[in-house]
Amino acid sequence: MTSTAQSLPTALLVVDVQQALTAPLDPERPPVWNLDQTLTNIETLLRVARDCGADVIYVQHNSLSDPSLHRGAPGYEFDRRIAPQAMETIVSKEVCDVYAQTDLIGILKARGIAHYVTCGIQSDYCVDMATKGGLSRGITVTLAADAHTTWSNGVLSAEQIIAHHNQNVAHMSGPNAVVLVRPTAEIVFAPTPVPGRMPTAV
């Protein structure tokens, strides 16, 4: 991002990178598409964000219908490659929308965050909702184009779904906000501008 009109991301939102999705026990359910490269890119985003003191917020899905994603099940835990560090924020949700029945917007406002990066699983569900949900609340969002993934859906391949979402959200704007789509290598962060903040788990 080179334009001075675009504020730098001040947080990284890691969406649902949980073991039930990255290492499913069900032999009929393969891991998401292009998993290793996606995790490598998320690791890069985490390193860059942490090195500059930006907030890292993890989203963790507690499914009401999928036992492998129930709180307490092994699959509910984050993939070990991208596990949160001590004191990083974890937001637990029960539906696709990370803003539904959580305090994410309160956390962002308290820390002065008006721009965040989204990455994770699934491109066409929870990552999509996190991206568009921020936009509708006046938060500029950068979608990491090569750091989110999903499964094929019987109509489109996973690769086609990812390309479609990258193309689609890049043309969206909201109240005082836009969606940017950038590859991992072009994404930069700035420290969260609230001194003495205390991360929380909600």
Side-chain angles (χ1 to χ4, degrees), residues 10-81:
T10 56
L12 174 63
L13 204 66
V14 182
V15 180
D16 297 357
V17 187
Q18 295 164 252
Q19 292 181 32
L21 309 180
T22 62
L25 297 177
D26 184 350
E28 300 297 317
R29 186 182 194 183
V32 287
W33 180 80
N34 200 28
L35 175 62
D36 286 343
Q37 187 59 57
T38 302
L39 288 177
T40 295
N41 292 339
I42 294 173
E43 287 180 296
T44 296
L45 292 170
L46 284 166
R47 182 176 65 254
V48 173
R50 287 164 175 164
D51 283 351
C52 79
D55 261 301
V56 176
I57 300 172
Y58 282 80
V59 180
Q60 191 171 27
H61 192 72
N62 177 33
S63 175
L64 301 179
S65 59
D66 183 348
S68 69
L69 281 168
H70 285 177
R71 184 179 285 110
Y76 179 73
E77 301 304 320
F78 295 108
D79 189 278
R80 293 178 180 86
R81 284 180 58 176

Side-chain angles (χ1 to χ4, degrees), residues 164-186:
H164 169 76
H165 280 268
N166 287 343
Q167 174 70 18
N168 188 41
V169 300
H171 299 283
M172 293 184 175
S173 60
N176 304 312
V178 296
V179 174
L180 309 171
V181 180
R182 301 287 186 270
T184 293
E186 295 180 11

Side-chain angles (χ1 to χ4, degrees), residues 115-131:
H115 191 164
Y116 62 72
V117 171
T118 50
C119 64
I121 304 170
Q122 289 177 259
S123 307
D124 41 344
Y125 289 94
C126 298
V127 173
D128 183 57
M129 293 288 284
T131 302

